[in-house]
């Protein structure tokens, strides 16, 4: 069962769902991240990512 869009995960956590993830806040970016991979930092900082599109 897929996690809902708007699911959030923090830098260092395992990605709960494959898809396109967006950094919450500004500046922001998007990145494709596969389930099971570690959520990356952005601009050298720990951030919260939000799932915006399924893979």
């Amino acid at each position: 069962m897929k996690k809902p869009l708007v699911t959030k995960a923090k830098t260092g956590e395992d990605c709960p769902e494959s898809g396109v993830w967006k950094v919450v806040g500004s500046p922001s970016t998007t990145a494709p991240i596969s389930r099971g991979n570690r959520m990356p930092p952005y601009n050298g900082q720990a951030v919260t990512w939000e799932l915006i599109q399924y893979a």
Side-chain angles (χ1 to χ4, degrees):
M1 182 157 172
K2 287 185 184 248
K3 299 283 186 187
L5 294 176
V6 309
T7 293
K8 291 181 173 58
K10 295 185 171 153
T11 296
E13 294 179 350
D14 289 340
C15 180
E17 184 70 53
S18 295
V20 178
W21 290 78
K22 179 182 181 204
V23 171
V24 174
S26 181
S28 188
T29 191
T30 60
I33 305 172
S34 296
R35 187 165 67 98
N37 287 349
R38 294 247 180 227
M39 301 305 289
Y42 177 58
N43 273 353
Q45 298 187 334
V47 293
T48 299
W49 292 88
E50 181 177 4
L51 181 63
I52 59 168
Q53 181 182 326
Y54 294 117

